[in-house]
Amino acid sequence: MASLLIITPVEKLQEKANLIVRSFKDIPGIYVSLDKTQKSIENILKKAEINTNNLFFIDCVALKKTRDDVLHIAPDRLDLLESAVSAFMKGIKGKEFIIIDELSTLLIYNNENKVAEFVEKITECASQHDTEVVALSPKTKGEELLNKIFNFFDKVEGR
């Protein structure tokens, strides 16, 4: 499986994200956080006894840089986000993964077509670099967006 879109009730999003990160064990990955700060996500993962040593965080929530090893990108800068994710995929030899939580949050800052284009670029790049992409989105938000991006994913769960 190269790419998976998970549509789930909002109250189960973090639980699903935890399961995904846990399933990748010692494989390097990027966690793109669109609804919680890196610090908050890392605390949630550690509380669930999930090793975060192989995770690189891209925080699209916190306005202020808190650590040198965390990338902060505004959610309206999809060009920078796509560049950072692509650079990660190209820079890691072997298998890696990307998890994008709350995908529909991007609709607050960008129009539907821009978000769909971003998803298409990420999934295309991932398929060329042995990278698994998992995007999560709440069931109730962004139906039009979800309809536009279904075909970019190898598998869609929960629709």
Side-chain angles (χ1 to χ4, degrees), residues 104-115:
S104 60
T105 300
L106 291 174
L107 292 173
I108 297 169
Y109 306 95
N110 306 277
N111 73 46
E112 221 171 80
N113 291 334
K114 273 188 135 177
V115 176

Side-chain angles (χ1 to χ4, degrees), residues 62-115:
L63 300 173
K64 205 167 79 176
K65 186 173 183 161
T66 54
R67 287 180 17 193
D68 288 338
D69 63 342
V70 175
L71 197 55
H72 294 269
I73 299 175
D76 63 344
R77 293 301 312 267
L78 294 180
D79 56 333
L80 293 178
L81 190 53
E82 190 259 326
S83 265
V85 171
S86 294
F88 173 82
M89 286 187 258
K90 292 171 186 166
I92 302 289
K93 301 295 176 233
K95 194 174 176 78
E96 68 264 344
F97 73 97
I98 298 164
I99 182 168
I100 304 171
D101 72 11
E102 273 292 340
L103 187 62
S104 60
T105 300
L106 291 174
L107 292 173
I108 297 169
Y109 306 95
N110 306 277
N111 73 46
E112 221 171 80
N113 291 334
K114 273 188 135 177
V115 176

Side-chain angles (χ1 to χ4, degrees), residues 1 4 17 31 71 74 86 100 104 108 114 125 132 136 138 153:
M1 172 195 58
L4 170 66
Y31 194 116
L71 197 55
S86 294
I100 304 171
S104 60
I108 297 169
K114 273 188 135 177
C125 188
E132 291 191 46
L136 296 119
F153 291 90

Side-chain angles (χ1 to χ4, degrees), residues 5 12 48 50 78 95 99 102 113 119 123 148:
L5 173 62
K12 292 191 176 197
I50 297 170
L78 294 180
K95 194 174 176 78
I99 182 168
E102 273 292 340
N113 291 334
V119 170
T123 53
K148 285 184 179 184

Side-chain angles (χ1 to χ4, degrees), residues 110-151:
N110 306 277
N111 73 46
E112 221 171 80
N113 291 334
K114 273 188 135 177
V115 176
E117 186 181 316
F118 164 75
V119 170
E120 182 178 24
K121 286 178 180 175
I122 294 297
T123 53
E124 279 178 6
C125 188
S127 69
Q128 297 165 5
H129 290 93
D130 194 24
T131 303
E132 291 191 46
V133 176
V134 181
L136 296 119
S137 190
K139 245 185 175 122
T140 56
K141 294 183 188 170
E143 281 300 316
E144 298 82 17
L145 171 68
L146 294 175
N147 288 330
K148 285 184 179 184
I149 64 172
F150 282 142
N151 61 332

